[in-house]
Amino acid sequence: MRSLRRVLIGLAGLASTSAFARGGPGGAIGAMLEALLMLTIVGGLVTGGLSVRWLARPPWRFLGLSVLLTLVLAFVVPILGPLLGVPVLVFLAVFASVSYLARPDDVPTDGADLQAAARWTWRDGAQWLAASYLFWVVVSLFSFELLVFLAVPPLLAIFPQFLARFWPFIWPPLVLALVVAGVVTGVAGRWLGLSRRWAPMLFNVCVLVAFFVSADAYRGWLMARDLATHQPRHFDSRSFLSSVWGYSEYGRGTHATFEENGKFYYWSYAECRFVAAP
């Protein structure tokens, strides 16, 4: 899986460079935390890949003890939570995932091994989890301030309102993307001989592409339905991907705008309609 490791590291480097160049409106502390998290992600990708050469097997016991120690320190000294706990836990998660995925599988040698390899095991589940996590960690770097929850999933439990506002818009294209990705991956695995190791990556790539395509189509449909009740002038619109990509640079920039009878209207993804500016 050296090729996969190189692709992940290359994408992470490209994304982190782009994120550093964009900067953001989060102030000095926000910029420092963002830079720290991005460095830990890229560091986890690089050292996880190199650990395949350094170590005979992943240091699971050391990683587990490190996670427990980090959690205890962050709990005892709360200020260490965001400054130390989160970056360390993200680094360990990325390192463990890369270290696990980058190691070659044991090649079956007889009929019993082949039969066992054909069955779904907990290792397959772990592989899907590790590959999916790494994929979305790299994706998060392209718009870190908006997509940071992809790299640090517990943030959704701490701040559930962050995603809840946009859920009415997100769930239709997300469900469609999951269905499309499942069908494509199933067909590729059954009839095209796709390796199990590559199946998680194909599935997540399909989810990403299908989600952005369907989200943009859904956005266009919602806008057209709402515009039918208006007489817009000077209409201007950005694609859904552009809104996500430019979030860090422009903050909550306008996604689509128009003027009507001297009033200015802007598109709200939270309300799925055009809202009059105050």
Side-chain angles (χ1 to χ4, degrees):
M1 293 298 290
R2 291 182 182 178
S3 57
L4 173 60
R5 187 168 73 246
R6 290 170 181 169
V7 168
L8 286 171
I9 293 173
L11 284 175
L14 173 64
S16 59
T17 301
S18 173
F20 274 125
R22 284 197 314 271
I29 295 179
M32 181 185 70
L33 291 176
E34 182 178 353
L36 182 61
L37 274 175
M38 287 189 293
L39 286 174
T40 57
I41 288 171
V42 176
L45 287 166
V46 174
T47 56
L50 293 176
S51 71
V52 179
R53 295 185 179 181
W54 295 341
L55 305 171
R57 59 188 300 274
W60 300 124
R61 184 173 299 178
F62 171 77
L63 291 174
L65 291 174
S66 299
V67 168
L68 290 176
L69 178 61
T70 302
L71 290 174
V72 169
L73 287 176
F75 179 78
V76 174
V77 187
I79 195 174
L80 293 180
L83 294 178
L84 173 66
V86 172
V88 169
L89 292 176
V90 170
F91 171 83
L92 293 174
V94 174
F95 175 89
S97 298
V98 174
S99 181
Y100 172 74
L101 288 174
R103 294 173 188 278
D105 291 327
D106 295 329
V107 179
T109 57
D110 55 32
D113 290 336
L114 288 171
Q115 186 177 7
R119 294 195 301 266
W120 182 271
T121 66
W122 69 269
R123 292 181 182 274
D124 295 304
Q127 180 175 300
W128 271 81
L129 182 62
S132 298
Y133 175 69
L134 285 179
F135 179 84
W136 294 107
V137 160
V138 173
V139 170
S140 73
L141 291 175
F142 284 92
S143 186
F144 202 72
E145 290 190 7
L146 181 63
L147 303 177
V148 63
F149 65 90
L150 295 176
V152 193
L155 287 178
L156 287 181
I158 300 174
F159 305 106
Q161 70 278 4
F162 177 79
L163 191 61
R165 293 180 300 159
F166 305 105
W167 188 245
F169 174 82
I170 290 174
W171 78 261
L174 179 59
V175 170
L176 179 60
L178 291 171
V179 171
V180 170
V183 171
V184 171
T185 306
V187 169
R190 186 173 182 84
W191 284 288
L192 301 181
L194 178 71
S195 168
R196 280 191 184 183
R197 188 176 275 272
W198 285 102
M201 189 61 63
L202 175 63
F203 177 83
N204 285 287
V205 169
C206 289
V207 168
L208 179 66
V209 174
F211 175 75
F212 275 114
V213 172
S214 57
D216 212 47
Y218 187 49
R219 172 197 67 90
W221 179 77
L222 289 173
M223 285 185 179
R225 186 183 65 174
D226 197 31
L227 287 173
T229 62
H230 295 276
Q231 295 179 343
R233 296 180 55 196
H234 309 298
F235 178 75
D236 181 47
S237 177
R238 299 169 63 192
S239 69
F240 179 72
L241 179 60
S242 297
S243 295
V244 174
W245 183 273
Y247 182 88
S248 293
E249 183 178 357
Y250 301 107
R252 297 181 181 181
T254 54
H255 311 296
T257 60
F258 70 85
E259 181 186 350
E260 181 184 31
N261 299 327
K263 285 187 176 181
F264 181 79
Y265 291 81
Y266 65 93
W267 176 256
S268 169
Y269 279 109
E271 299 190 35
C272 295
R273 65 184 181 89
F274 284 97
V275 178

